[in-house]
Amino acid sequence: MEILLQEWLTVKGVILFTIGLLAAIIGVLFGAAGFILMPSLLLVGIPIHTTVAVNKFATGLSALSNVVSFVIKGQLSIKKYFSFMIVASIGGVFGALFAILLSEQIMNVVACISLIFAFLIVLCSNKWIVKDVKETEEQPLSKLIPFAISIYDGGFGPGSALMNITYFLKKQYHYLKAVELTRMLSLSSCTGAFLFYYFTGIVDWGIAIPVSLGSIAGSFLGLRIIPYIQTKWIQIILPIIFFVLNCSSCVGFNKISETSPTFFAPKFKDI
């Protein structure tokens, strides 16, 4: 424990905390935490499977802090959406299992393809994000779409929150309500996936804790900013953010491929 504490109080710990902080703020506002968190961790030399596991832990804690806040304020009913949480948890486990079966090299390829696919979803989702609807117009929800998104979230993740937000907006939910439900599903899928990664020994606590602390702080900051965000801003900012982060992600994956023939990044402890 003392060794871990010393590791967290270093430049490495500060960098990881900052990455988690910025990722969570973007994640709460735009459903895109993974687009910052994963490529950033890869760029500093963390293998992709470890990165995914850390992402699930950090995002899960961040989402937990939000969900608790929503429930206390009476904005979210766990009882009403409990079945969705169960479905998302199972999906997260399946996604983690699928990721474990893939080699480092294949995961890097899947990562690039997934990020490009998610970017296209961002462009298509704009027409739903800019629509201001009333909750009285909400349409019935299907569990199949959240389940499929949770599988993707458990195995990789970037863009999954945006997919959920887009789905709820398409079902005529208000943007803030869509964010609340998305955080709830993120908590569930990340919990299922993280438990699977934990029992397979992939989690690195020296990385997970500072990233998670930053994520918790960033999630609260993001929630305070949401009321001041106008939908027209989101329509303009979203594609720009994802285009830039998509480019940085590809750079991160290429860096890992070039620096290690076995597709394992250089040791992060050298920082």
Side-chain angles (χ1 to χ4, degrees):
M1 184 64 186
E2 183 178 350
I3 296 177
L4 283 176
L5 184 60
Q6 292 176 353
E7 188 176 1
W8 297 334
L9 299 177
T10 61
V11 174
K12 167 188 172 179
V14 174
I15 292 175
L16 292 173
F17 178 86
T18 303
I19 290 174
L21 179 73
L22 296 176
I25 292 175
I26 296 296
V28 172
L29 295 179
F30 306 115
F35 277 92
I36 288 183
L37 186 58
M38 293 195 67
S40 297
L41 293 178
L42 290 169
L43 284 170
V44 297
I46 300 174
I48 190 167
H49 284 98
T50 302
T51 294
V52 173
V54 170
N55 183 25
K56 297 305 103 182
F57 181 70
T59 303
L61 280 184
S62 173
L64 174 62
S65 63
N66 292 152
V67 170
V68 170
S69 176
F70 294 148
V71 172
I72 292 176
K73 294 178 181 179
Q75 297 173 302
L76 183 65
S77 171
I78 296 296
K79 182 178 180 180
K80 181 178 179 180
Y81 298 103
F82 184 73
S83 60
F84 283 87
M85 297 180 70
I86 296 298
V87 167
S89 298
I90 296 174
V93 172
F94 275 105
L97 174 61
F98 178 72
I100 291 296
L101 296 177
L102 298 179
S103 67
E104 196 84 5
Q105 181 177 5
I106 295 178
M107 276 290 284
N108 286 327
V109 174
V110 172
C112 286
I113 295 175
S114 298
L115 288 172
I116 293 172
F117 175 72
F119 176 69
L120 295 177
I121 291 179
V122 172
L123 297 179
C124 296
S125 67
N126 269 348
K127 66 178 182 179
W128 298 109
I129 290 178
V130 296
K131 291 178 63 177
D132 289 316
V133 295
K134 297 180 181 179
E135 293 191 11
T136 53
E137 302 173 358
E138 294 174 0
Q139 299 176 5
L141 298 174
S142 167
K143 294 184 178 65
L144 181 61
I145 300 300
F147 177 68
I149 295 174
S150 296
I151 293 176
Y152 168 74
D153 186 35
F156 187 56
S160 58
L162 177 67
M163 294 176 194
N164 277 318
I165 288 177
T166 303
Y167 173 69
F168 291 124
L169 291 176
K170 188 176 181 180
K171 291 297 184 179
Q172 305 301 309
Y173 280 70
H174 188 273
Y175 183 70
L176 184 57
K177 187 65 175 180
V179 170
E180 293 169 356
L181 293 176
T182 294
R183 297 304 279 174
M184 178 194 71
L185 293 180
S186 294
L187 168 62
S188 302
S189 60
C190 287
T191 299
F194 170 74
L195 290 176
F196 187 90
Y197 289 127
Y198 174 76
F199 287 114
T200 53
I202 292 179
V203 179
D204 186 332
W205 294 110
I207 300 170
I209 296 300
V211 172
S212 300
L213 292 177
S215 295
I216 293 174
S219 65
F220 279 106
L221 288 176
L223 286 177
R224 290 186 176 276
I225 297 174
I226 278 183
Y228 303 99
I229 298 294
Q230 298 183 19
T231 51
K232 62 180 181 181
W233 297 353
I234 300 173
Q235 184 186 27
I236 297 173
I237 295 173
L238 224 53
I240 297 175
I241 289 177
F242 289 121
F243 177 76
V244 173
L245 293 177
N246 251 328
C247 292
S248 67
S249 299
C250 290
V251 171
F253 299 137
N254 289 334
K255 178 180 178 181
I256 290 178
S257 299
E258 293 171 358
T259 54
S260 175
T262 58
F263 291 87
F264 278 87
K267 295 296 184 180
F268 186 71
K269 65 181 181 180
D270 295 333
I271 291 181

